[in-house]
Amino acid sequence: PVAAPSLKFWDQVRRNLRRQMDALGPQEKTKWSDLNSLRNELLGQLDSAVPPFKTARQGAAGFFGAENALDAGRQFALQPRNLPEAMKAFKAMSAVDQKAFRIGSASSVVDRLKSDPRGTFEVVKSTFGSPAAKEFWQGVLGPAKAAQLESYVQVQAIMDASKRAITGGS
């Protein structure tokens, strides 16, 4: 008898494709695009064949328009909105998904430090410059970890400004 792949098998395939995409560098855009197309096709087929798969896959991350909690954290950190509803969705996540959301949101900020063309002080301002932003970070990370992340980002901004001043950049 031939065993048919289970939903668990296809979920693992999806995860493996995502890991491969995340491991690619910026110069490998074509390969990333090919893997993303394959992954999206797989997800579309699975979601159509087994509707509860999509619900289970997204969970509370679906509120954020993301496929999973890690992506939800990344996306929400870039464009915080509807804070009360977002915090409610975050609190509805499992402990594992909350941890992934935290990692995604914090890594998004660190990534922006390295790539935002506006400069690191703009990243600090846009990330921690409003009461709503501070409330978000304290709600997601807790007050102590939120303060650590903010301090880290501010130190990086100061170091970046010092480096620019020394090398003659603006």
Side-chain angles (χ1 to χ4, degrees):
V2 176
S6 66
L7 205 52
K8 184 177 179 180
F9 169 83
W10 289 115
D11 185 51
Q12 190 59 50
V13 170
R14 172 193 66 89
R15 291 170 191 261
N16 290 344
L17 287 169
R18 183 56 190 224
R19 274 190 221 104
Q20 289 178 27
M21 291 166 57
D22 289 344
L24 294 174
Q27 70 280 8
E28 298 175 290
K29 291 179 183 176
T30 303
K31 189 173 182 180
W32 187 94
S33 180
D34 291 345
L35 288 171
N36 190 47
S37 294
L38 179 62
R39 190 173 146 279
N40 286 338
E41 179 65 26
L42 173 66
L43 290 176
Q45 293 293 327
L46 290 171
D47 289 348
S48 294
V50 187
F53 176 78
K54 182 177 183 178
T55 304
R57 179 172 56 83
Q58 288 183 325
F63 170 82
F64 299 97
E67 177 183 320
N68 57 49
L70 185 68
D71 288 340
R74 286 182 183 146
Q75 291 174 15
F76 192 77
L78 294 174
Q79 298 176 344
R81 63 195 187 290
N82 303 327
L83 189 61
E85 294 88 354
M87 292 310 300
K88 183 177 178 181
F90 171 75
K91 290 176 182 175
M93 291 179 177
S94 69
V96 171
D97 283 347
Q98 285 182 356
K99 183 176 181 179
F101 186 93
R102 287 182 188 105
I103 292 168
S105 57
S107 69
S108 177
V109 173
V110 173
D111 290 346
R112 282 181 43 220
L113 280 172
K114 298 174 187 173
S115 64
D116 196 315
R118 300 173 300 159
T120 51
F121 280 111
E122 284 300 317
V123 174
V124 172
K125 184 178 173 184
S126 66
T127 305
F128 300 101
S130 71
K134 287 184 184 277
E135 183 181 339
F136 164 74
W137 288 109
Q138 289 177 0
V140 169
L141 300 176
K145 295 268 187 207
Q148 285 178 336
L149 179 63
E150 184 174 6
S151 295
Y152 172 80
V153 172
Q154 288 174 341
V155 167
Q156 294 302 312
I158 292 167
M159 289 174 54
D160 182 57
S162 299
K163 181 178 167 184
R164 288 180 191 212
I166 291 170
T167 60
S170 57

